[in-house]
């Protein structure tokens, strides 16, 4: 079942620093990396994860299984 692009974008905007949008889309490796960057640095490097999330909004068009977003 295809996932919602709107849900992916909203998760990236509001929780992107934690990688929640990538967990939603099935990209577990990317999600864990974003989560660790934010948590291990106690939030000081969350700007990196935030920028990464903004880039994901424009670049990622499908989930980890290759199914295009709805």
């Amino acid at each position: 079942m295809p996932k919602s692009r709107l849900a992916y974008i909203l998760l990236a905007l509001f929780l992107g620093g934690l990688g929640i949008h990538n967990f939603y889309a099935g990209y577990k490796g990317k999600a864990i990396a974003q989560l660790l960057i934010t948590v291990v640095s106690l939030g000081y490097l969350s700007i990196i994860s935030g920028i990464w999330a903004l880039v994901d909004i424009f670049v990622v068009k499908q989930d980890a299984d290759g199914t295009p977003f709805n």
Side-chain angles (χ1 to χ4, degrees), residues 9-59:
I9 291 170
L10 291 175
L11 287 170
L13 286 174
F14 294 110
L15 300 170
L18 298 173
I20 303 301
H21 62 295
N22 282 319
F23 279 114
Y24 172 73
Y27 295 107
K28 292 182 181 100
K30 288 170 48 174
I32 290 170
Q34 285 179 304
L35 182 62
L36 286 176
I37 288 170
T38 300
V39 172
V40 170
S41 72
L42 301 175
Y44 289 110
L45 298 178
S46 63
I47 188 72
I48 294 170
S49 293
I51 292 169
W52 186 354
L54 286 176
V55 170
D56 279 347
I57 288 173
F58 296 105
V59 174

